[in-house]
Amino acid sequence: MADNAVETKNNGGKSAAPNKKLRFFGLGKLRPYVRNYKGVFVLMIVANLFVGVCNTIVPLFQRYAIDNFILEGTLDGMPIFAVVYVVMIAAMGIVDFFGTYSCSRLEMFLLRDMRRTAFNHLQTLSVSYFNQNSVGKLHSRVMSDTSVISSTVAWDVYQVSWSLTYAIGASTVMFVLNPILACCVLVVVPIVVLVSLYFQRKLTKLHREVREINSEITGGFNEGITGAQTSKTLAVENRLDADFRKHTDKMKKRSQRLGHHRALFFSIIAFTASIALALVLWYGGVITQSGLIMIGTLSVFMTYAQGIVDPIQWGVECLADLISIKVNIERFTALTETVSDVKDSPEVIEKYGDAFNQKRENWEPLGGDVEFENVTFKYPDGDEYILENFNLKVPQGTNVAIVGETGAGKSTLVNLVCRFFEPTEGRILIDGRDVRERSVSWLHTNIGYVLQTPHLFSGTIRENLLYGKEDATDEELDAAVKSVNAEGIIARLEKGYDTVVGEGGNSLSTGEKQLLSFARAILVDPAIFVLDEATSSIDTLTEKLIQDAIEKLMEGRTSFVIAHRLSTIRSADIILVVDDGKIVERGTHEELLAKRGLYYNLYVKQFREESYSNEFSDNSR
């Protein structure tokens, strides 16, 4: 069986519109996934057909036994009959086992491949896609939708194939034995179909409502846990409890209504089956008395009358399920067919590889010269241009600082340098070449990026640091940690580098996580450093320790620093001042102060705030 996930287009930014021409309930979109497991799929279908035929034949054995052994009062031929019957039942059991096993395997294979494809595809998408789609929405696509699709495709196809085989086989046998008695049984089929269709729509709607309310309950539960400290400090436990009660009461009412409709549905189906059985007993008794059929034949019809309703009902339910997953398929394929805002050309991929198959032997060393050449840019979901015909040369080793009020749009330049977004017009050159002439992976491998909010992956400190360089030695880890004065973190922990940091690194303080993020970025030995307000979450004392280390590490490297404290970027080679998403001033610290513009106002304002804060601290001692 194929182990690899199904290949998809290299997609990313905007979601592809759901395909309105999906056929066969949208199952055609799943053909690439099922194709990998044709053997399993065929085995499942063939096994079901065999079991369905055997289930149809079993009542004929019953008929033969009644007419030839019971009514005749003899056991002649019984051993042969018993052997044949036992062999058939054993064969049916064995084949049913393989059919069920194949169905289960198909479900797991489809689930694995779809989730792997979706997850891998998410790694190729641009930052704008994640800005426009919530975590909950993406989690639902990757986890919930794939689970529904794989389960429905495997088990409902399994159930439908058996139901159709049994229904067709039983109907054929009944018409061969006695057409009129067959009509007495099958007259209830249209009723079963109509009732099933009606209730299936109702039940599907109620199931969706229950799932939506359950999502609200899950969200409220998560907020109650993750926001426990906030809720306690605000003393709003009663409000949270009231909201949670409201959701759970709503869930109870919808679930009761769902249970009511389900009970009514099964009661009507059971009553309909009783009607079929009553008709068979009435008319079958009459013609048996007349000698037109034998008792064994009547028993066959009684068995079919009791058994044919269930496969019809299940078949309708399965078909309804297959129709309903069209929405799940459209949501899933909208993710996997999303076209990226940032992607490498086929020629670049051929030479440099992609994110999953990197051809590092073809990667040129990166020096660090960065140039914006007539760059015009607006965000994919925005209407206003942030940059227009912007030009800037940043020679290797230059320290560029970007400052501005909170929310002014300071990250735009950094996002373009890191190729998280593509310029709307113009070019960005790295070492004199258009950045699009080389791969995204090549660029990102040469950039050390430290975010304002540090993120550590679940696992040990060692594993987190090795994300920067997989083959780093202990000596290199020690050097990186010491370079940012983080060796004290490792020393105080009993297991050192092998300490588990917990989900998101929650066993460490924010400052400790930030220091380790610095160490991870330094371990890459990047040609370009990007610090996105990276010291804003570190206390003043720790910031002073790390600032000296950063200045040494930036020597000879190009760096872009989004500054939180203006006092830390006075030595920058060039300072860009951003206001309302646009660069309004540029120059050195002294030049900008002399202009007495926005930078001057920001600096004076922050200087006064820091002076007042220090004075307040001194007076409070």
Side-chain angles (χ1 to χ4, degrees), residues 549-620:
I550 290 175
E551 289 178 3
K552 294 177 183 177
L553 292 165
M554 286 183 177
E555 291 179 4
R557 292 185 172 97
T558 306
S559 58
F560 293 84
V561 180
I562 299 177
H564 175 69
R565 297 186 180 96
L566 301 187
S567 58
T568 63
I569 49 91
R570 284 180 292 189
S571 60
D573 297 309
I574 182 171
I575 299 172
L576 304 176
V577 185
V578 180
D579 183 44
D580 194 24
K582 294 182 171 59
I583 296 173
V584 295
E585 295 178 5
R586 69 170 76 181
T588 63
H589 173 71
E590 290 75 15
E591 290 171 346
L592 292 174
L593 286 180
K595 287 181 179 180
R596 289 183 170 266
L598 180 59
Y599 180 81
Y600 175 85
N601 294 332
L602 288 172
Y603 189 81
V604 170
K605 177 184 176 183
Q606 194 170 103
F607 178 78
R608 287 173 179 171
E609 289 175 350
E610 290 179 358
S611 298
Y612 176 78
S613 177
N614 292 334
E615 181 181 348
F616 180 80
S617 299
D618 292 338
N619 292 334
S620 63

Side-chain angles (χ1 to χ4, degrees), residues 11 29 31 43 201 216 329 337 387 428 487 517 549 561:
N11 303 333
K29 289 286 186 177
R31 190 178 297 116
L43 177 59
R201 284 196 293 269
E216 293 176 1
I329 295 173
E337 294 178 359
L387 298 175
I428 295 176
E487 65 270 23
S517 296
V561 180

